[in-house]
Amino acid sequence: MKIRKISLGECIYFFVSLMTLICSIIDVGFKPIIYSYILVCIFIFLFILTMKRRNLSIYQIYLMTFFLFLIARPLLYCLGVFDLHTLDLYETSTMNDELVCETLRTIIVFLTGTSYVWLFSDDSVNIKHFKKTENRYTKINDVLKKMFAIYIILFALKILYQIYVSRRYGYVALFNGTLDSIKLPIIFTGVGVITEVLIMFLMFYNRQETDFKKYVCIFMLLGLVRMLSGKRGYTLSFLLFFMYIWSTYYHEIKIQSKKMIGLVISAPILIEIIANFRYQKAISLIDMLKNNIYFQVLRSQGVTFVVVADTIKYQEKFTNKVPFFLGYIVDFFQKEPSGQVINDITTGNYLGDHLTYTINSNLFFLGRGTGTSIVAEAYNLCKGNMFMIFLFALITTVIVLKISQNAYKSIFWFALSYYLLLDFILSPRGSILGSITSTVTALIASLLVGFFESRSDFEKA
């Protein structure tokens, strides 16, 4: 990755953030409100700098989700409209100043680590790979289109079934084993993963604007419907990823554009509508506006701050065999149990399971979950060492941005970047290894496609 010259504003940011980084690593004893102001100001400074570099980038998108999930509550705390000491994730309690400060310091250090990669690296993509025309219109492309036509229908039917189950038994039925207990025909096995892999292949082989719009619109339409079952993050990550691809390889999207402003204004309303549908509450736009919907969304989505805080609080009580960040790799080789059962705790290594079980085991067995965060997983992996958390953020961001630069280099590279970037976008509320099953499936499929594509007799067949 090339190192570039930085502007005066970026130079000022570097020295200011370096001072706050040192204060956060050594813990100078600031009060929660001071660390909150530091975090919010550093973020605002950084985001303004990213707006001046070029069109919508993957790092800008990452900062948007980082704000929504990890900085929203500190911002509300700075504005005096929310108490950051609140512990409201399956418990009604408060955290002390020490825990609040430790959480804020962790987020500051992690954010600063990611920002230094963006600050000093040339994050422009290698557009020449995208413009290559060879090996794009092969017979295998026709086969993929026919498969997509079949699987998109199967996927739609499965989504409708999931909505039915979530409406009848509650959205937790998707996680507590109720959905798995009802056997569907074998043809529906893995239909979601296969459809995702097919859309990935079609994006790689069909690069005209009309093709991109067609396949993405079909997939996103189903994604929007799937949100009704309660899976909002899934659709959000795909939407932001497709916006990044469009802005990078087709037509630039400026962060200040009317479309982006409209998305920011309308997104909280959509999120709240889906949340009400998820919990089977009455949907009233008038009530949403009366209750200050934007405050409600920032408060509710910002609960990830509590995920990080609780990870720090219960760090010594977890029984995971390997660090949670690496647990996705280990658990990949283990059979996943149906629903949320004790085996998830005794042999599994997912932070969301262990955290929910520690906070309230009854809710865990009912299918509830806290979710996870890459920041919380970094704290667990580094055992609270702030300098190591900084290095972790630095290294992971370098890997992600490097892969994103060469997304269209080959079908294998595109498959890797496809899932890695999807996870990176949502990693403030997830992990960059969260889609390891889909990633492995896509990589194996890409190797097979690449093998058949390279054989001349396959083209002549």
Side-chain angles (χ1 to χ4, degrees):
M1 185 174 288
K2 297 179 180 178
I3 298 178
R4 67 178 189 88
K5 295 180 180 179
I6 62 176
S7 65
L8 177 61
E10 292 168 341
C11 188
I12 294 173
Y13 168 80
F14 172 72
F15 284 108
V16 171
S17 62
L18 182 61
M19 288 188 291
T20 59
L21 175 66
I22 294 173
C23 290
S24 298
I25 289 177
I26 63 177
D27 188 11
V28 294
F30 289 149
K31 292 188 176 297
I33 189 64
I34 301 300
Y35 278 123
S36 296
Y37 275 117
I38 289 174
L39 174 60
V40 171
C41 290
I42 286 295
F43 176 83
I44 293 174
F45 196 174
L46 173 62
F47 193 75
I48 291 174
L49 290 176
T50 64
M51 292 171 63
K52 294 183 177 181
R53 185 177 292 190
R54 64 181 186 88
N55 58 309
L56 186 67
S57 68
I58 195 67
Y59 189 65
Q60 278 181 329
I61 293 174
Y62 173 76
L63 288 180
M64 292 179 199
T65 59
F66 199 97
F67 168 79
L68 180 63
F69 297 123
L70 291 169
I71 299 181
R73 285 196 173 189
L75 173 63
L76 296 177
Y77 182 55
C78 291
L79 296 175
V81 295
F82 183 80
D83 185 3
L84 202 56
H85 297 77
T86 304
L87 284 173
D88 54 354
L89 190 60
Y90 302 137
E91 58 183 330
T92 304
S93 181
T94 57
M95 60 181 104
N96 56 35
D97 282 356
E98 183 181 356
L99 181 55
V100 176
C101 290
E102 182 84 351
T103 305
L104 289 166
R105 288 170 53 224
T106 302
I107 297 173
I108 291 170
V109 169
F110 194 94
L111 176 63
T112 306
T114 66
S115 71
Y116 285 176
V117 178
W118 172 85
L119 194 65
F120 292 104
S121 65
D122 179 8
D123 63 344
S124 59
V125 301
N126 196 335
I127 200 71
K128 68 179 182 180
H129 294 314
F130 178 77
K131 293 182 176 180
K132 286 183 177 180
T133 58
E134 66 269 18
N135 295 329
R136 275 205 271 153
Y137 307 105
T138 62
K139 285 191 175 182
I140 199 166
N141 190 27
D142 295 331
V143 174
L144 292 171
K145 289 180 180 179
K146 292 175 182 177
M147 289 180 64
F148 180 74
I150 296 172
Y151 271 93
I152 200 70
I153 296 173
L154 294 176
F155 190 37
L157 293 174
K158 189 169 185 178
I159 289 174
L160 292 175
Y161 174 71
Q162 289 177 340
I163 293 174
Y164 164 76
V165 172
S166 65
R167 294 297 292 172
R168 182 172 181 179
Y169 302 103
Y171 87 95
V172 293
L174 302 178
F175 310 102
N176 64 11
T178 300
L179 183 64
D180 296 332
S181 65
I182 306 173
K183 299 298 181 182
L184 289 173
I186 194 171
I187 195 172
F188 288 97
T189 303
V191 68
V193 174
I194 295 173
T195 306
E196 290 174 14
V197 172
L198 287 172
I199 194 72
M200 179 269 296
F201 280 131
L202 292 174
M203 284 176 61
F204 181 81
Y205 284 109
N206 303 273
R207 302 177 194 175
Q208 295 89 348
E209 288 184 24
T210 52
D211 288 329
F212 180 86
K213 290 179 180 178
K214 177 176 65 177
Y215 292 118
V216 168
C217 286
I218 292 172
F219 193 72
M220 282 307 304
L221 181 61
L222 287 180
L224 291 172
V225 175
R226 195 181 192 187
M227 290 177 73
L228 299 178
S229 70
K231 296 188 176 182
R232 295 168 294 177
Y234 171 91
T235 303
L236 175 64
S237 60
F238 274 102
L239 173 62
L240 294 175
F241 174 74
F242 291 143
M243 288 177 61
Y244 161 70
I245 293 293
W246 179 260
S247 177
T248 303
Y249 297 101
Y250 294 95
H251 297 287
E252 290 186 357
I253 299 176
K254 295 293 184 182
I255 199 69
Q256 308 96 321
S257 68
K258 292 180 181 179
K259 291 181 181 179
M260 285 301 300
I261 295 174
L263 178 64
V264 171
I265 293 174
S266 60
I269 298 176
L270 180 61
I271 289 173
E272 195 66 16
I273 290 174
I274 296 300
N276 287 347
F277 189 89
R278 179 186 194 181
Y279 293 106
Q280 301 186 19
K281 297 180 180 179
I283 298 174
S284 172
L285 184 58
I286 295 176
D287 289 342
M288 291 181 190
L289 296 176
K290 284 183 179 179
N291 296 328
N292 195 339
I293 184 174
Y294 295 97
F295 167 78
Q296 295 296 334
V297 168
L298 290 177
R299 182 193 61 79
S300 62
Q301 298 303 314
V303 76
T304 310
F305 183 90
V306 180
V307 173
V308 180
D310 278 341
T311 301
I312 297 171
K313 179 180 178 181
Y314 298 115
Q315 173 82 338
E316 302 303 322
K317 294 186 177 182
F318 296 135
T319 59
N320 51 306
K321 305 301 185 294
V322 297
F324 292 120
F325 177 73
L326 302 176
Y328 300 95
I329 300 174
V330 175
D331 291 351
F332 174 75
F333 296 98
Q334 298 180 153
K335 183 179 179 181
E336 184 177 355
S338 176
Q340 293 181 185
V341 296
I342 194 62
N343 285 353
D344 290 319
I345 307 302
T346 57
T347 62
N349 300 281
Y350 173 58
L351 173 59
D353 288 341
H354 284 261
L355 190 55
T356 308
Y357 182 81
T358 302
I359 295 173
N360 191 320
S361 59
N362 291 329
L363 289 178
F364 169 76
F365 290 120
L366 289 174
R368 301 281 182 173
T370 62
T372 184
S373 170
I374 188 64
V375 178
E377 292 180 356
Y379 187 93
N380 173 261
L381 176 68
C382 302
K383 300 186 183 302
N385 186 306
M386 292 296 167
F387 182 70
M388 294 303 296
I389 292 173
F390 171 77
L391 289 181
F392 174 85
L394 204 74
I395 293 170
T396 53
T397 309
V398 166
I399 293 172
V400 170
L401 294 186
K402 179 62 179 177
I403 290 176
S404 69
Q405 288 180 321
N406 297 282
Y408 279 91
K409 186 176 182 179
S410 67
I411 184 60
F412 182 86
W413 202 261
F414 188 76
L416 179 61
S417 62
Y418 181 79
Y419 283 104
L420 184 62
L421 293 182
L422 281 172
D423 283 340
F424 178 68
I425 288 171
L426 217 59
S427 62
R429 191 67 177 99
S431 176
I432 59 173
L433 296 178
S435 299
I436 189 168
T437 301
S438 298
T439 304
V440 172
T441 302
L443 292 179
I444 293 174
S446 68
L447 288 175
L448 291 173
V449 170
F451 170 74
F452 286 118
E453 187 181 39
S454 64
R455 294 179 57 181
S456 59
D457 59 332
F458 183 85
E459 276 299 307
K460 296 175 182 178

